[in-house]
Amino acid sequence: MWKPVENPEYRDVRRKEKQGCQVFEVFDYNKRNVHHISEYWAYFVLLAVAVLGYLSNYNYKDNLPKALGTTDLMHHSSAFIADRAWKDLKILTSFGTRPVGSYSNEMLAVDFLKREISYIKQTAHQSQRIELDVQVANGAFWLGFKPHGMTSVYRNIQNVVVKLHGKDSSSKSALLVNCHYDSVPGSPGASDDAASCIVMLEVLRVLSRQNYLLRHSIIFLFNGAEESGLQASHAFITQHKWAKEVKAFLNLESAGSSGKEMLFQTGPKNPWLVKMYGSHAPHPNAQAAAEEIFHSGTIPSDTDFRVFRDYGHLPGLDMAYAINGYRYHTKFDHIDYISRDSIQHTGNNVLELTKNLANSLDLPNAIEMTDKSMVFFDIFGLFFVSYSEDFATIFNYAIVIASIILPYLLLSKATRGINKKHLRFELFLGFLINMISLVGANAICYAIAYDLDLTGKSMTWFTHTILLVPIYCVPTLFVQCLAHLIFTRNSKAPMSLALKTQARINGSSLFWGLLTAAMSLANIRSAYVLMVPLLITLLSNLAVGFFGHQNSIRKWLYIQLIGQVFVVFWSTHYFNIVTDMFIPISGRGGGIKNPDILIGLVTATLTFFVTSYITPLVILLKKTKTLLISFIVIYMITRFYLIGITHYGFPYGDESNGHPTVQRHYITHTTRTLYDKEGNVRYTDAGFWFLETDRNAKKTIESLTMPDIPIPHGENILCKNEIFCGLPYFMTRQLHWNGFWIPALAPLIRDKGVLVLTDRKQMTKKIHRLNFMLTGSYYMALQIRPKDNVVLEKWNILDHVPKPIKHNKYNAHFVLIVHGLESPPMNITLDFKTVHDDHKKSLADIALTTFHFEYHKDHTPTFANILAKMPKWAHAVPSVASLTSWTF
């Protein structure tokens, strides 16, 4: 005879079962349970997640220090004054666009910087010594962009270099601070990178008025050719007379517009610099995870950091604006979209870092102070955390082990060891549900992304990023909740609902713990992003166990929810960082790939990261049908009404709402002339080359800009046989974009680059030398494709011939040639090596493309009409080019 155990937790007992000597109550989960909570809890928790996400977004983007004005000088005489810097920014950006070689860049900007530096020298303290040098340089180097590098040649480009001398002049040690004052064609470059230059001017102004000297010198490099392929930084670090004094550097850049600058590159492997940042930056904003993302090649940008690191072999810190990347490299990178508070934030950090680095006893030895890479991150802009990679591995493993074992032991103790088997089952079930949820959510979001693209609704979230929530976040939550509920209904484990839910939460810890351990094993420093929520949840579990609340009806839940406030605030911070980074990038990722797939998968994964510790609580709800139906309804209304019928899901927006989110277009009006070996014209035409920068670019041209002209489909007619498809590329990065060619009348080009063969010699049986004279002071691209059984063995452009680019089944070399001030003709020598001694055929195809930007006055009426028809929410970069190809 056995007797049922009285258990007040369940109010509706269906049957009793006996296992060995123990008697258990098995209940129907559809019946009311004392651990059940109202479905309104679900809406409250989701609302709390949304509020925390909003607050973390505000903290990430808008929580800036108040800008100081000239009236604050009385109380802050040695502080960075944003208003003074703002006045400089207004003048520098008033010159308009400043591409290399333009009058505004080579004359106006240089004169402005020289004049301001002269004023600073006049107002400097008598103990300070300031030296100015304007460098004009020529050179060449290999620029290893991913996936296609290129040879970069610069001629008569300019640098404005200022040296604030330190008192320890005998050490010949200096800190370099760098910005670039040039801009891309079509953009005033207020954020990229004029704002950094005026920050440097103000820092120089403040430091020059001190009545004491810093220990080491500071070299302020205002470089005039960054956008043309990091050329001016190479000129300085390899040729300038002060370059050898530099022991470390700060690089100030931008890939966005305003907001907080982020430290996203360090070292390489220099813990001292990271620690200096943590000790002296008053507003830390730094992420090792951003560094690893940037180094992965998924961000289509680069900075002068690469040149200082690779060609100067220097350690440094790279800081950049990354928020509002929509305006990056467009006409909307304007002073109107930069706040003084943002300038103050950057100025405070740069001033303190510059001052303390230049005053450090360790600066002379900075190059030798290398070690393993550091893990570093800020905590909501309040604190900076950094530690070694070795410590990170050990610490991460310790947290993972503790997060898996300790909560299990505490739960096992709470059940007096009776339900260990079922406890382990629920824990591993929680792990399995996480696996299923993540895979399922990504599969659902992939299908949604495919559907949106198929029905012409790609990038609906581009302007209204809130649409990510109903389109991708809500389906992810639906999958997570459904997975927990399915496995709960079929579970017969004789445990209270409270213990079962806590075991599921520990299953989430097991999932993230194993992933954290795997990342640590692979030396991925970004593991800290997962480790912190794991640690917070561990502390919550320990608190529940310490107070003995595992079997309580509500107390354990309250403790867990308090812990999850910090987890959600932390995880939504990274949700905001990643989406704010990748959404604008999707507008310049080319038209081949469906960007919704990337954004959908990223959003699903980030949503899972934010909510994976919360969704197990769904099994506590009395009713769940309403919640699941709510998810479905929200998605359906958004997909078929907001996106399907209304204009809300239109991807782009102009400046009317103060937040332009433009579609980008690169349009080159080109004339092409191809010569055969005998010098006869074998082909000639003209037309417009449209680069497809995003998924909808071609649709815009077809439907709005040129609706009456058929857009050709398929491969370009010259692509099969001509070097780089016979198309006017001026950067190898453009090779990853697709585009289309529309025939038209030839453009008017007043000046063209000219390549003339001046001499041809056979040096040996297999070496053939061609000598050329290149004339022209413009943007030019020289493309060299050796014939079959021929290789480019040697040239006078570099001391080596880089590995050729594999494009369209051919090997070719791409040389960018950029001029600042007007330059004399350039001599080019090419040595080709043949396989056979008696080589009588052609050696190579060589193409020269000349580009003219800011050429509006000489645009043909057809080109002007195309540009006039571009919608207000589009940004077009027009250029005119001549492409000439020869066979030698």
Side-chain angles (χ1 to χ4, degrees), residues 325-537:
Y326 299 105
R327 301 194 280 268
Y328 170 70
H329 283 188
T330 74
K331 61 186 176 184
F332 295 113
D333 185 7
H334 194 275
I335 190 172
D336 292 344
Y337 297 101
I338 297 179
S339 72
R340 287 174 172 82
D341 294 346
S342 181
I343 300 295
Q344 189 70 50
H345 184 279
T346 304
N348 289 349
N349 280 340
V350 174
L351 176 60
E352 291 303 313
L353 279 171
T354 301
K355 186 163 51 177
N356 286 280
L357 285 169
N359 236 0
S360 172
L361 291 169
D362 295 323
L363 181 64
N365 304 313
I367 297 174
E368 288 78 31
M369 295 172 66
T370 57
D371 202 343
K372 292 189 176 181
S373 297
M374 296 285 284
V375 175
F376 60 90
F377 54 92
D378 70 283
I379 301 179
F380 313 133
L382 300 174
F383 310 102
F384 182 80
V385 178
S386 65
Y387 43 84
S388 70
E389 199 171 7
D390 288 339
F391 176 80
T393 302
I394 297 171
F395 186 69
N396 289 348
Y397 286 152
I399 295 300
V400 168
I401 293 170
S403 296
I404 294 171
I405 294 177
L406 293 182
Y408 168 75
L409 293 177
L410 289 171
L411 283 177
S412 179
K413 182 180 179 182
T415 60
R416 298 177 183 177
I418 296 174
N419 292 322
K420 284 186 177 180
K421 176 182 177 181
H422 299 289
L423 184 61
R424 288 193 296 270
F425 173 78
E426 287 295 333
L427 191 151
F428 285 107
L429 185 60
F431 170 80
L432 179 63
I433 291 171
N434 275 276
M435 295 275 290
I436 294 171
S437 297
L438 183 58
V439 173
N442 276 273
I444 291 293
C445 289
Y446 184 95
I448 292 171
Y450 184 82
D451 166 64
L452 289 170
D453 186 64
L454 190 66
T455 55
K457 301 296 182 182
S458 183
M459 299 178 65
T460 56
W461 32 261
F462 190 68
T463 291
H464 301 291
T465 55
I466 190 66
L467 285 175
L468 290 177
V469 175
I471 290 297
Y472 294 121
C473 297
V474 166
T476 300
L477 285 169
F478 176 83
V479 171
Q480 288 178 269
C481 293
L482 187 63
H484 278 288
L485 291 171
I486 288 174
F487 282 95
T488 300
R489 299 308 187 204
N490 296 326
S491 175
K492 306 299 182 183
M495 295 168 56
S496 73
L497 205 52
L499 293 176
K500 187 170 294 189
T501 307
Q502 291 171 72
R504 293 280 181 92
I505 293 173
N506 294 336
S508 295
S509 293
L510 175 62
F511 175 85
W512 291 114
L514 293 178
L515 189 55
T516 302
M519 293 175 69
S520 300
L521 184 64
N523 295 319
I524 300 174
R525 289 175 293 146
S526 303
Y528 71 87
V529 177
L530 309 185
M531 180 275 295
V532 170
L534 200 63
L535 174 60
I536 296 172
T537 305

Side-chain angles (χ1 to χ4, degrees), residues 745-759:
L745 295 176
L748 171 65
I749 304 179
R750 299 188 184 279
D751 299 294
K752 299 180 182 179
V754 178
L755 184 69
V756 177
L757 178 66
T758 58
D759 190 28

